[in-house]
């Protein structure tokens, strides 16, 4: 069914208003919740809502999400039987469809709202056990939703970010795990990205991840993405992460990401320090400091530096989430003298059987 861009924009604004209201509701109850130990064991924020309009609305939403997820899973199962040439029953992951309704607001009055989506489809009957991905995100980025860290998603929607290509409208890809052990994973992904739905951009991505432990508390994750695509040519993204649990709910993380683009002879390094604070089973805070360096044959400069805070709330089971992320960025081109505040609000809805 065709849905106009205007309709999608209006829906996005509606869902953003809903996310603001839900987060304000959470904020008004945050202080009381911190004083009630039993509240810390809640799996989601609205767990205690057992009656009234909100309860009925959440139940109706869950029924709609479950029905949509079951329909999607039924189509996927038929596709899997056709591609695999088999009617045998197999164990497979549930298909999951996720809708994101992000809005960003900046000091100059600029605002941007959009609708993003991601579908993950498991095809275990196929000979090579491929996984099909349909997404409106840049699935070649090391900051794809699977590996997202607080602060990165805001850049996805910043119009002034020159380090990213024009927004991908939709991408189709097949992914296969060739190696999955306790400490390492090797994946191959091949697909098509589209801009304006008429500009195909084929790509191939090889992902290799290694996990290691240092001492009793330090965890290390090394991730490498080797990417070749039609538009930007060959790229190499590498990320080194060190994490240290501080106590039951806190985690300190240092994350260094390097992106090298062969065609532009450009190298960009991002450094981020993040303190994750688990307030309860449904509320997570993250405080981060972030900076980008650009290295090329002519000069090496610090492009920007930022500080921010991310509040992620699980509102209803594993189906409804909200995020609130203020951020202040300074740019080298302005001598870091002019702060640029920005705010991200996002509602996230999960559909599955």
């Amino acid at each position: 069914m065709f849905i106009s861009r205007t309709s999608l924009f209006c829906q996005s604004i509606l869902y953003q208003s809903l996310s603001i209201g839900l987060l304000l509701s959470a904020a008004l109850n945050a202080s009381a919740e911190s004083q009630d130990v039993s509240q810390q064991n809640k799996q989601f924020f609205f767990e205690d809502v057992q009656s009234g309009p909100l309860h009925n609305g959440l139940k109706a939403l869950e029924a709609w999400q479950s029905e949509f997820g079951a329909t999607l899973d039924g189509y996927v199962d038929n596709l899997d039987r056709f591609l695999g040439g088999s009617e045998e029953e197999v164990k497979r992951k549930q298909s999951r469809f996720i809708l994101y309704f992000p809005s960003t607001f900046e000091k100059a009055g600029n605002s941007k709202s959009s609708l993003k989506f991601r579908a993950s489809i498991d095809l275990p009957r196929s000979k090579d056990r491929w996984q099909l991905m349909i997404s409106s995100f840049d699935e070649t980025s090391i900051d794809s939703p699977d590996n997202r860290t607080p602060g990165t998603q805001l850049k996805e929607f910043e119009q002034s970010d020159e380090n990213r290509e024009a927004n991908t409208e939709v991408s189709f890809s097949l992914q296969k795990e060739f190696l999955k052990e306790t400490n390492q994973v090797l994946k191959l992904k091949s697909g098509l990205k589209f801009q304006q739905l008429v500009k195909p951009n084929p790509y191939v991505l090889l992902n290799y991840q290694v996990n290691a432990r240092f001492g009793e508390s330090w965890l290390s994750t090394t991730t490498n993405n080797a990417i070749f695509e039609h538009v930007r040519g060959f790229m190499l993204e590498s990320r080194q992460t060190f994490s240290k649990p501080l106590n039951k709910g806190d985690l300190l993380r240092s994350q260094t990401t390097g992106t090298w683009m062969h065609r532009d002879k450009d190298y960009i390094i991002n450094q981020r320090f993040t303190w994750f604070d688990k307030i309860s089973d449904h509320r997570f805070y993250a405080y981060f400091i972030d900076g980008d360096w650009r290295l090329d044959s002519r000069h090496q400069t610090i492009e920007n530096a930022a500080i921010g805070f991310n509040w992620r709330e699980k509102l209803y089971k594993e189906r409804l989430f909200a995020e609130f992320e203020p951020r202040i960025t300074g740019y080298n081109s302005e001598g870091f003298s002019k702060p640029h505040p920005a705010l991200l609000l996002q509602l996230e809805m999960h559909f599955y059987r």
Side-chain angles (χ1 to χ4, degrees), residues 210-304:
V210 179
N211 300 313
R213 181 179 293 273
F214 295 96
E216 297 182 356
S217 58
W218 282 96
L219 303 175
S220 167
T221 301
T222 304
T223 305
N224 290 288
N225 281 350
I227 309 157
F228 181 82
E229 66 173 49
H230 175 70
V231 172
R232 293 183 293 178
F234 179 75
M235 296 173 290
L236 181 63
E237 291 184 310
S238 300
R239 171 170 290 172
Q240 178 61 55
T241 301
F242 294 104
S243 303
K244 179 179 175 58
L246 301 178
N247 52 47
K248 186 177 180 180
D250 292 357
L251 180 76
L252 185 64
R253 175 171 293 169
S254 171
Q255 177 181 286
T256 306
T257 305
T259 304
W260 177 70
M261 289 169 279
H262 177 265
R263 181 173 295 177
D264 298 331
K265 306 298 182 185
D266 215 356
Y267 195 73
I268 300 169
I269 298 176
N270 172 267
Q271 177 63 52
R272 175 177 290 120
F273 297 100
T274 309
W275 172 27
F276 296 91
D277 187 10
K278 181 180 178 181
I279 305 301
S280 66
D281 286 342
H282 60 82
R283 179 170 299 147
F284 300 86
Y285 293 162
Y287 309 85
F288 59 88
I289 300 174
D290 180 271
D292 288 325
W293 284 260
R294 181 183 294 271
L295 291 78
D296 57 34
S297 58
R298 294 170 295 176
H299 54 270
Q300 299 81 39
T301 59
I302 300 176
E303 294 279 289
N304 57 70

Side-chain angles (χ1 to χ4, degrees), residues 150-155 158 161 269-275 286-293 302-310 325-332 336 338-343:
T152 57
Q153 209 168 46
L154 182 58
K155 288 186 176 182
E158 282 183 351
D161 187 0
I269 298 176
N270 172 267
Q271 177 63 52
R272 175 177 290 120
F273 297 100
T274 309
W275 172 27
Y287 309 85
F288 59 88
I289 300 174
D290 180 271
D292 288 325
W293 284 260
I302 300 176
E303 294 279 289
N304 57 70
I307 185 170
F309 163 73
N310 180 277
E325 185 180 292
R327 175 189 184 108
I328 298 177
T329 306
Y331 294 93
N332 183 41
F336 296 101
K338 183 180 179 181
H340 290 261
L343 174 66

Side-chain angles (χ1 to χ4, degrees), residues 123-146:
L123 302 172
R125 293 188 183 88
S126 60
K127 182 179 179 181
D128 296 317
R129 297 185 64 89
W130 289 92
Q131 186 179 44
L132 174 64
M133 307 291 297
I134 305 174
S135 171
S136 61
F137 287 93
D138 181 3
E139 291 293 334
T140 62
S141 171
I142 203 167
D143 283 320
S144 68
D146 282 342

